[in-house]
Amino acid sequence: MRIVDARVIVTCPGRNFVTLKIVTSDGVTGVGDATLNGRELAVASYLNDHVVPTLIGRDASRIEDTWQYLYRGAYWRRGPVTMSAIAAVDTALWDIKGKVAGLPVYQLLGGRCRDGVTVYGHANAETVPEVLAEVARYVDLGYRAVRVQTAVPGLPATYGVGKDRMFYEPADAAIPTEATWSTERYLVHTPQVFAAVRDEFGPHLKLLHDAHHRLTPIEAARLGKDLEPYRLTWLEDPVPAELQEGFRLIRRHTTTPIAVGEVFNTIFDCQQLITEQLIDYVRTTVVRAGGISHLRRIFDLAALHHVRSGSHGATDLSPVCMAAALHVDLSIPNFGLQEYMRHTEATDAVFPHSYHFADGYLHPGEEPGLGVDIDESAAARYPYQPASLPVNRLTDGSMHNW
Ligand code: GCO
Ligand code: MG
C-alpha cells in the first residue's frame, strides 16, 4: 500500500486550518491537522516544499519509520513548524492504518481505559456576576470541569475574554493587535473571582485557570498560594516554560496543581518538568507534538512520574486534531482532562466527524480510523485570511508575554 498523493488544504471557515490528506494506492485516505495559529502558511510550505515530495511512493503502513525519516531527516530538529508538519503525516498514517484494520484508532492504541473523555469548557466574561452565569451555562450543558477567565478591572482587554462567548478566537487581525497587561492588578483580582465561583458552585465542580505565561515564578507562587482555598484542578502556564527549573520555585510554595505544555513540540521540552515532578498535567496535543506517535511517548514518560495528560483543545486545533487527541485520551492510563472549545458550525461542516459530546464527556465514536474527514469542496469555499495572535505590553509600554 503506497502513498500516491498528499494534498495540503488551507481553509478558513471562520479561522484558518491547514490539513494534510494522504491517499494510498488502494484508494484509502487519511487526514492530519497541521494548523499553527498565526503561522499557518509556514507549515503549508514546509509540507508542500519539503515533505510531500518524499512521501510519494512510500509504504503507508510504516508509521514509525516515516516519523523517524522526517524527524532525523530534517537535520534541523524540533520547532513548531517542523513538528506540526510531522504531526500531520503521522496522524494521517494512523487514520489510514485504522481504516485498513477496520478499527477505530483507540483500539490500535490498546483499547479504551475509560468510558469517555472528560472535557472542560471556557467560561469567560467581563465581570464576576457575568462569569458566574457563564459557568452555570457549562454546568447546565453537563460539563464537569470549567476554565474561568474574567477581564481584569482597569485593563482595556484581557486574554481569554472574547466578544463571542462560546467560540473565543484570539487571532483577530493580520497585523497583531496590542493588548495591555498589569500583573499587579491581575494578582489582586483573580483570587476574588475564584472565591465567588466556589461559593456559588460548591466544592465538586473542577475549576481551572490559565495565566497564559504572564508571571514570574515568585508571582506564580503567590497566585498559587492565594488560590489554594478554592482548590483548582490546575493553574495553567503560570510562567513561560523555557526555563524549566523556574518551576522548582513555584513548587516550593504552593499545592495548587500546575499544567503546562500547549506550546511544547517534543518530549525534550518537558523532560525536566516531568522527571522532576514539577508539574501535574502536561498539555501537549497531537498537532503540536509530532502526532500520535510522539505524543504517546510524552504521556508514557509522564505516567512514570505521576503527571497526567491535559491536552490543549482550543479552536485553533482543528476537528482532525481533536478526533486524534480523543483516541489517545481514551487509551492512555494517565489521562487527566481534555480541553474542548467548540468549533463553529461552518468549521464542523468542513470537517465532518463522529466524535460527540454527552454528559460531560467526548466520545471519539466507533468509525474505523480517526472518524473525521475534510470536505474538500466545502473547504474550497473559504479561502485563507491572514490572522495573527495579539502581542502584549505592560502599562508603561514595555513588551510582555501575550
Ligand atoms: C488555551 C490556550 C489558547 C491559546 C491559543 C493560541 O489554553 O486554550 O492558551 O487560548 O492562546 O490556542 O493559538
Ligand atoms: Mg492555555
Side-chain angles (χ1 to χ4, degrees), residues 282-302:
V282 59
R283 299 198 60 256
T284 43
T285 191
V286 174
V287 59
R288 275 298 78 70
I292 291 173
S293 302
H294 193 71
L295 185 64
R296 281 230 302 175
R297 294 223 156 89
I298 295 176
F299 290 161
D300 281 346
L301 180 69

PDB file of all heavy atoms in Angstrom, residues 282-302:
ATOM      1  N   VAL A 282       0.511  17.635  31.745  1.00  0.00           N
ATOM      2  CA  VAL A 282       1.265  18.077  30.570  1.00  0.00           C
ATOM      3  C   VAL A 282       0.257  18.259  29.433  1.00  0.00           C
ATOM      4  O   VAL A 282      -0.542  17.379  29.146  1.00  0.00           O
ATOM      5  CB  VAL A 282       2.431  17.126  30.231  1.00  0.00           C
ATOM      6  CG1 VAL A 282       1.982  15.700  29.963  1.00  0.00           C
ATOM      7  CG2 VAL A 282       3.251  17.686  29.078  1.00  0.00           C
ATOM      8  N   ARG A 283       0.278  19.475  28.814  1.00  0.00           N
ATOM      9  CA  ARG A 283      -0.826  19.889  27.939  1.00  0.00           C
ATOM     10  C   ARG A 283      -0.500  19.818  26.455  1.00  0.00           C
ATOM     11  O   ARG A 283      -1.128  20.472  25.632  1.00  0.00           O
ATOM     12  CB  ARG A 283      -1.293  21.294  28.326  1.00  0.00           C
ATOM     13  CG  ARG A 283      -1.807  21.364  29.765  1.00  0.00           C
ATOM     14  CD  ARG A 283      -2.643  22.577  30.013  1.00  0.00           C
ATOM     15  NE  ARG A 283      -3.799  22.602  29.156  1.00  0.00           N
ATOM     16  CZ  ARG A 283      -3.939  23.379  28.080  1.00  0.00           C
ATOM     17  NH1 ARG A 283      -2.985  24.228  27.745  1.00  0.00           N
ATOM     18  NH2 ARG A 283      -5.030  23.319  27.358  1.00  0.00           N
ATOM     19  N   THR A 284       0.498  19.048  26.075  1.00  0.00           N
ATOM     20  CA  THR A 284       0.795  18.872  24.658  1.00  0.00           C
ATOM     21  C   THR A 284      -0.392  18.209  23.954  1.00  0.00           C
ATOM     22  O   THR A 284      -1.146  17.472  24.573  1.00  0.00           O
ATOM     23  CB  THR A 284       2.026  17.962  24.492  1.00  0.00           C
ATOM     24  OG1 THR A 284       1.889  16.874  25.399  1.00  0.00           O
ATOM     25  CG2 THR A 284       3.298  18.699  24.778  1.00  0.00           C
ATOM     26  N   THR A 285      -0.526  18.471  22.658  1.00  0.00           N
ATOM     27  CA  THR A 285      -1.522  17.715  21.907  1.00  0.00           C
ATOM     28  C   THR A 285      -0.948  17.241  20.580  1.00  0.00           C
ATOM     29  O   THR A 285       0.213  17.507  20.257  1.00  0.00           O
ATOM     30  CB  THR A 285      -2.823  18.501  21.716  1.00  0.00           C
ATOM     31  OG1 THR A 285      -3.820  17.578  21.212  1.00  0.00           O
ATOM     32  CG2 THR A 285      -2.687  19.660  20.737  1.00  0.00           C
ATOM     33  N   VAL A 286      -1.787  16.525  19.823  1.00  0.00           N
ATOM     34  CA  VAL A 286      -1.315  15.765  18.663  1.00  0.00           C
ATOM     35  C   VAL A 286      -0.581  16.650  17.651  1.00  0.00           C
ATOM     36  O   VAL A 286       0.554  16.356  17.260  1.00  0.00           O
ATOM     37  CB  VAL A 286      -2.511  15.050  17.996  1.00  0.00           C
ATOM     38  CG1 VAL A 286      -2.100  14.365  16.706  1.00  0.00           C
ATOM     39  CG2 VAL A 286      -3.122  14.043  18.966  1.00  0.00           C
ATOM     40  N   VAL A 287      -1.206  17.755  17.221  1.00  0.00           N
ATOM     41  CA  VAL A 287      -0.600  18.539  16.135  1.00  0.00           C
ATOM     42  C   VAL A 287       0.661  19.264  16.596  1.00  0.00           C
ATOM     43  O   VAL A 287       1.584  19.466  15.813  1.00  0.00           O
ATOM     44  CB  VAL A 287      -1.621  19.541  15.524  1.00  0.00           C
ATOM     45  CG1 VAL A 287      -2.153  20.503  16.571  1.00  0.00           C
ATOM     46  CG2 VAL A 287      -1.004  20.326  14.377  1.00  0.00           C
ATOM     47  N   ARG A 288       0.715  19.659  17.865  1.00  0.00           N
ATOM     48  CA  ARG A 288       1.880  20.422  18.321  1.00  0.00           C
ATOM     49  C   ARG A 288       3.090  19.540  18.600  1.00  0.00           C
ATOM     50  O   ARG A 288       4.231  20.011  18.550  1.00  0.00           O
ATOM     51  CB  ARG A 288       1.557  21.177  19.616  1.00  0.00           C
ATOM     52  CG  ARG A 288       0.902  22.528  19.612  1.00  0.00           C
ATOM     53  CD  ARG A 288       1.652  23.643  18.948  1.00  0.00           C
ATOM     54  NE  ARG A 288       1.494  23.529  17.502  1.00  0.00           N
ATOM     55  CZ  ARG A 288       0.351  23.764  16.850  1.00  0.00           C
ATOM     56  NH1 ARG A 288      -0.701  24.184  17.504  1.00  0.00           N
ATOM     57  NH2 ARG A 288       0.281  23.608  15.544  1.00  0.00           N
ATOM     58  N   ALA A 289       2.852  18.281  18.926  1.00  0.00           N
ATOM     59  CA  ALA A 289       3.946  17.448  19.432  1.00  0.00           C
ATOM     60  C   ALA A 289       4.203  16.225  18.556  1.00  0.00           C
ATOM     61  O   ALA A 289       4.366  15.108  19.044  1.00  0.00           O
ATOM     62  CB  ALA A 289       3.666  17.034  20.867  1.00  0.00           C
ATOM     63  N   GLY A 290       4.242  16.450  17.242  1.00  0.00           N
ATOM     64  CA  GLY A 290       4.718  15.390  16.362  1.00  0.00           C
ATOM     65  C   GLY A 290       3.768  14.236  16.129  1.00  0.00           C
ATOM     66  O   GLY A 290       4.197  13.160  15.707  1.00  0.00           O
ATOM     67  N   GLY A 291       2.468  14.447  16.411  1.00  0.00           N
ATOM     68  CA  GLY A 291       1.492  13.415  16.064  1.00  0.00           C
ATOM     69  C   GLY A 291       1.220  12.441  17.198  1.00  0.00           C
ATOM     70  O   GLY A 291       1.725  12.583  18.320  1.00  0.00           O
ATOM     71  N   ILE A 292       0.399  11.435  16.883  1.00  0.00           N
ATOM     72  CA  ILE A 292       0.000  10.447  17.887  1.00  0.00           C
ATOM     73  C   ILE A 292       1.224   9.693  18.406  1.00  0.00           C
ATOM     74  O   ILE A 292       1.366   9.451  19.605  1.00  0.00           O
ATOM     75  CB  ILE A 292      -1.031   9.478  17.255  1.00  0.00           C
ATOM     76  CG1 ILE A 292      -2.345  10.220  16.985  1.00  0.00           C
ATOM     77  CG2 ILE A 292      -1.259   8.263  18.139  1.00  0.00           C
ATOM     78  CD1 ILE A 292      -3.383   9.401  16.210  1.00  0.00           C
ATOM     79  N   SER A 293       2.147   9.352  17.508  1.00  0.00           N
ATOM     80  CA  SER A 293       3.299   8.524  17.904  1.00  0.00           C
ATOM     81  C   SER A 293       4.141   9.214  18.966  1.00  0.00           C
ATOM     82  O   SER A 293       4.516   8.617  19.976  1.00  0.00           O
ATOM     83  CB  SER A 293       4.180   8.216  16.684  1.00  0.00           C
ATOM     84  OG  SER A 293       3.427   7.555  15.702  1.00  0.00           O
ATOM     85  N   HIS A 294       4.456  10.490  18.741  1.00  0.00           N
ATOM     86  CA  HIS A 294       5.334  11.177  19.699  1.00  0.00           C
ATOM     87  C   HIS A 294       4.573  11.604  20.950  1.00  0.00           C
ATOM     88  O   HIS A 294       5.129  11.564  22.058  1.00  0.00           O
ATOM     89  CB  HIS A 294       6.013  12.379  19.036  1.00  0.00           C
ATOM     90  CG  HIS A 294       7.132  12.922  19.870  1.00  0.00           C
ATOM     91  ND1 HIS A 294       8.327  12.263  20.043  1.00  0.00           N
ATOM     92  CD2 HIS A 294       7.220  14.047  20.624  1.00  0.00           C
ATOM     93  CE1 HIS A 294       9.107  12.956  20.844  1.00  0.00           C
ATOM     94  NE2 HIS A 294       8.463  14.044  21.217  1.00  0.00           N
ATOM     95  N   LEU A 295       3.317  11.998  20.789  1.00  0.00           N
ATOM     96  CA  LEU A 295       2.528  12.401  21.958  1.00  0.00           C
ATOM     97  C   LEU A 295       2.447  11.250  22.965  1.00  0.00           C
ATOM     98  O   LEU A 295       2.537  11.449  24.177  1.00  0.00           O
ATOM     99  CB  LEU A 295       1.116  12.826  21.524  1.00  0.00           C
ATOM    100  CG  LEU A 295       0.240  13.386  22.638  1.00  0.00           C
ATOM    101  CD1 LEU A 295       0.830  14.678  23.199  1.00  0.00           C
ATOM    102  CD2 LEU A 295      -1.181  13.644  22.133  1.00  0.00           C
ATOM    103  N   ARG A 296       2.302  10.037  22.454  1.00  0.00           N
ATOM    104  CA  ARG A 296       2.241   8.886  23.356  1.00  0.00           C
ATOM    105  C   ARG A 296       3.544   8.703  24.128  1.00  0.00           C
ATOM    106  O   ARG A 296       3.547   8.269  25.274  1.00  0.00           O
ATOM    107  CB  ARG A 296       1.933   7.631  22.554  1.00  0.00           C
ATOM    108  CG  ARG A 296       0.447   7.542  22.227  1.00  0.00           C
ATOM    109  CD  ARG A 296      -0.093   6.199  22.581  1.00  0.00           C
ATOM    110  NE  ARG A 296       0.665   5.198  21.848  1.00  0.00           N
ATOM    111  CZ  ARG A 296       0.519   3.897  22.003  1.00  0.00           C
ATOM    112  NH1 ARG A 296      -0.340   3.425  22.877  1.00  0.00           N
ATOM    113  NH2 ARG A 296       1.225   3.052  21.297  1.00  0.00           N
ATOM    114  N   ARG A 297       4.673   9.034  23.494  1.00  0.00           N
ATOM    115  CA  ARG A 297       5.953   8.936  24.220  1.00  0.00           C
ATOM    116  C   ARG A 297       5.951   9.911  25.398  1.00  0.00           C
ATOM    117  O   ARG A 297       6.412   9.607  26.482  1.00  0.00           O
ATOM    118  CB  ARG A 297       7.118   9.297  23.294  1.00  0.00           C
ATOM    119  CG  ARG A 297       7.311   8.338  22.186  1.00  0.00           C
ATOM    120  CD  ARG A 297       8.790   7.999  21.957  1.00  0.00           C
ATOM    121  NE  ARG A 297       8.814   6.713  21.309  1.00  0.00           N
ATOM    122  CZ  ARG A 297       8.770   6.554  19.980  1.00  0.00           C
ATOM    123  NH1 ARG A 297       8.789   7.604  19.184  1.00  0.00           N
ATOM    124  NH2 ARG A 297       8.736   5.356  19.460  1.00  0.00           N
ATOM    125  N   ILE A 298       5.451  11.124  25.141  1.00  0.00           N
ATOM    126  CA  ILE A 298       5.404  12.130  26.213  1.00  0.00           C
ATOM    127  C   ILE A 298       4.512  11.632  27.350  1.00  0.00           C
ATOM    128  O   ILE A 298       4.887  11.693  28.529  1.00  0.00           O
ATOM    129  CB  ILE A 298       4.894  13.476  25.653  1.00  0.00           C
ATOM    130  CG1 ILE A 298       5.879  14.044  24.634  1.00  0.00           C
ATOM    131  CG2 ILE A 298       4.652  14.467  26.792  1.00  0.00           C
ATOM    132  CD1 ILE A 298       5.418  15.319  23.945  1.00  0.00           C
ATOM    133  N   PHE A 299       3.340  11.134  27.001  1.00  0.00           N
ATOM    134  CA  PHE A 299       2.406  10.703  28.047  1.00  0.00           C
ATOM    135  C   PHE A 299       2.931   9.463  28.784  1.00  0.00           C
ATOM    136  O   PHE A 299       2.654   9.289  29.981  1.00  0.00           O
ATOM    137  CB  PHE A 299       1.014  10.460  27.456  1.00  0.00           C
ATOM    138  CG  PHE A 299       0.310  11.732  27.030  1.00  0.00           C
ATOM    139  CD1 PHE A 299      -0.750  11.695  26.141  1.00  0.00           C
ATOM    140  CD2 PHE A 299       0.711  12.978  27.509  1.00  0.00           C
ATOM    141  CE1 PHE A 299      -1.411  12.864  25.746  1.00  0.00           C
ATOM    142  CE2 PHE A 299       0.067  14.154  27.122  1.00  0.00           C
ATOM    143  CZ  PHE A 299      -0.991  14.095  26.240  1.00  0.00           C
ATOM    144  N   ASP A 300       3.673   8.609  28.087  1.00  0.00           N
ATOM    145  CA  ASP A 300       4.260   7.444  28.767  1.00  0.00           C
ATOM    146  C   ASP A 300       5.308   7.894  29.788  1.00  0.00           C
ATOM    147  O   ASP A 300       5.356   7.382  30.911  1.00  0.00           O
ATOM    148  CB  ASP A 300       4.897   6.486  27.753  1.00  0.00           C
ATOM    149  CG  ASP A 300       3.862   5.613  27.067  1.00  0.00           C
ATOM    150  OD1 ASP A 300       2.711   5.551  27.551  1.00  0.00           O
ATOM    151  OD2 ASP A 300       4.194   5.002  26.039  1.00  0.00           O
ATOM    152  N   LEU A 301       6.154   8.851  29.396  1.00  0.00           N
ATOM    153  CA  LEU A 301       7.141   9.376  30.357  1.00  0.00           C
ATOM    154  C   LEU A 301       6.409  10.015  31.540  1.00  0.00           C
ATOM    155  O   LEU A 301       6.771   9.807  32.708  1.00  0.00           O
ATOM    156  CB  LEU A 301       8.051  10.415  29.675  1.00  0.00           C
ATOM    157  CG  LEU A 301       9.115  11.032  30.592  1.00  0.00           C
ATOM    158  CD1 LEU A 301      10.187  10.005  30.972  1.00  0.00           C
ATOM    159  CD2 LEU A 301       9.773  12.248  29.925  1.00  0.00           C
ATOM    160  N   ALA A 302       5.370  10.779  31.222  1.00  0.00           N
ATOM    161  CA  ALA A 302       4.597  11.445  32.277  1.00  0.00           C
ATOM    162  C   ALA A 302       4.003  10.417  33.253  1.00  0.00           C
ATOM    163  O   ALA A 302       4.011  10.636  34.474  1.00  0.00           O
ATOM    164  CB  ALA A 302       3.487  12.281  31.649  1.00  0.00           C
TER     165      ALA A 302
END
